């Protein structure tokens, strides 16, 4: 079954879409619906549906602001709106489809097919990523998923990782930057603890790449000359490691 969540500030719109989904497909079920986008965000922190039907014109928070606050961006997002000027912005926000209200039955059937393909593709990618990650767990590589590709990175090539909200950026020795749709905690779980250390709430460093520690300023300097702040809470643990 495909599990769906609906977010729309109009209860009638939620009821209408819920009825259409149940009427036109026996493989999709609405597991939750919200008129309050903040309550929806709280729900989606702990629950992972397959898709999200999201209204754009909401008074408390518009749909695109909602997407930016989403912590889980793996689900299929479908924009629902009575206005047609948001199509390009919907694509830029990685929505898989865009439905105009009142929603046409044929358009909805096509959307459900896209959700099904997204779910199948996502499951396949997850399985492959876990399999490859398992193969590399005993070695000196990590596996990351970015831009539709699986990359195999040598631990020694990673200088540090930086948090950017729901995203993280890996900085490599060759000057490349790789943006990942993962929080820094998830990156921390991927990296071997004997080599990498979360030195600050926003940074993980490769301990083998530390060149200097500036005690007065509270920074480490890496071999690449990047200066990374040392958190007061983590200073003692860091000094024990080096």
């Amino acid at each position: 079954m495909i599990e769906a969540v609906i977010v729309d500030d109009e209860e009638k719109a939620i009821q209408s879409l819920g009825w259409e989904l149940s009427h036109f497909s026996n493989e999709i079920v609405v597991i939750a619906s919200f008129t309050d986008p903040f309550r929806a965000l709280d729900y989606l922190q702990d629950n992972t549906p397959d898709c999200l039907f999201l209204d754009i014109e909401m008074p408390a928070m518009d749909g695109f602001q909602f997407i930016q606050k989403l912590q889980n961006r793996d689900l299929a997002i479908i924009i629902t709106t009575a206005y047609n000027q948001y199509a390009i912005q919907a694509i830029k926000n990685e929505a898989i489809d865009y439905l105009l209200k009142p929603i046409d039955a044929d358009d909805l059937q096509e959307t459900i097919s896209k959700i099904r393909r997204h779910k199948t593709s996502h499951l396949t990618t997850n399985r492959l990523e876990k399999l490859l990650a398992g193969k590399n767990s005993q070695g000196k590589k990590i596996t990351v998923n970015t831009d539709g590709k699986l990359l195999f990175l040598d631990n020694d090539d990673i200088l540090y990782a930086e948090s950017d909200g729901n995203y993280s950026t890996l900085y490599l020795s060759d000057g490349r930057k790789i943006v990942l749709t993962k929080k820094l905690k998830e990156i921390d779980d991927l990296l071997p603890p004997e080599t990498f250390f979360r030195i600050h709430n926003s940074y993980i460093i490769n301990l083998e790449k530390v060149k200097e520690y500036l005690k007065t300023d509270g920074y480490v300097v890496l071999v690449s000359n990047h200066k990374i702040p040392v958190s007061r809470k983590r200073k003692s643990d860091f000094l024990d490691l080096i």
Side-chain angles (χ1 to χ4, degrees), residues 24-69:
F24 291 110
S25 175
N26 59 4
E27 63 178 315
I28 189 164
V29 58
V30 177
I31 59 172
S33 61
F34 300 90
T35 55
D36 181 342
F38 295 98
R39 286 187 58 215
L41 284 172
D42 288 341
Y43 175 85
L44 292 170
Q45 280 186 343
D46 302 315
N47 298 273
T48 52
D50 299 307
C51 61
L52 170 67
F53 289 87
L54 177 64
D55 186 33
I56 292 300
E57 295 285 342
M58 296 185 291
M61 178 195 308
D62 72 43
F64 296 121
Q65 291 172 328
F66 185 96
I67 292 173
Q68 294 307 311
K69 292 179 182 295

